[in-house]
Amino acid sequence: EVQLQASGGGLVQAGGSLRISCAASGFTFNDYAIYWFRQAPGKEREGISSISNYDNSTYYADSVRGRFTTSSDNAKNTVHLQMNSLKPEDTAVYYCAADSGPPRSDFALQDMDYWGKGTQVTVSS
């Protein structure tokens, strides 16, 4: 059974930090790139980062570059997203997803093979 389980969301003050995680199982972790997407109410789902679990290459959307950092703990089949300098506009449900092959910077939803359930991140002003 393929599972992507996001966790670590919560409420944080603007300017603060939060780390969310994506635990993967049921597929060969190192063969995939792991992506983070987010979706605010009434908005389209937005790709924000990707990381390859085999070479740790990464891509970031302009909206989060310099503030967010994604990393992989291959021993635990887990990818983290460290979110710093959070803004109210970062409030969204955050999802992780997996795609075979190298990571891409276009964050195409249709390319994703597996999706996890989201975790809510709320940034107060």
Side-chain angles (χ1 to χ4, degrees):
E1 180 183 1
V2 173
Q3 289 192 64
L4 291 169
Q5 189 167 5
S7 62
L11 176 65
V12 65
Q13 189 82 10
S17 298
L18 195 67
R19 189 179 77 161
I20 57 176
S21 301
C22 176
S25 63
F27 60 94
T28 305
F29 188 69
N30 288 351
D31 290 344
Y32 285 77
I34 304 297
Y35 292 70
W36 287 99
F37 292 80
R38 66 185 183 185
Q39 188 167 24
K43 304 290 185 180
E44 294 184 352
R45 193 165 296 188
E46 173 194 19
I48 57 173
S49 75
S50 64
I51 183 169
S52 69
N53 297 322
Y54 44 90
D55 67 3
N56 289 314
S57 60
T58 58
Y59 293 98
Y60 297 94
D62 290 343
S63 58
V64 306
R65 188 179 296 109
R67 299 188 297 122
F68 292 10
T69 302
T70 188
S71 61
S72 180
D73 184 346
N74 286 7
K76 296 182 178 180
N77 286 5
T78 299
V79 165
H80 304 284
L81 184 68
Q82 178 67 45
M83 301 179 289
N84 299 325
S85 301
L86 283 162
K87 307 172 182 179
E89 51 262 45
D90 294 319
T91 295
V93 177
Y94 284 70
Y95 301 87
C96 58
D99 176 41
S100 60
R104 296 175 59 89
S105 61
D106 57 356
F107 309 111
L109 275 70
Q110 64 268 27
D111 290 342
M112 302 299 108
D113 297 318
Y114 309 119
W115 286 91
K117 293 182 179 180
T119 186
Q120 176 71 48
V121 173
T122 302
V123 183
S124 61
S125 60

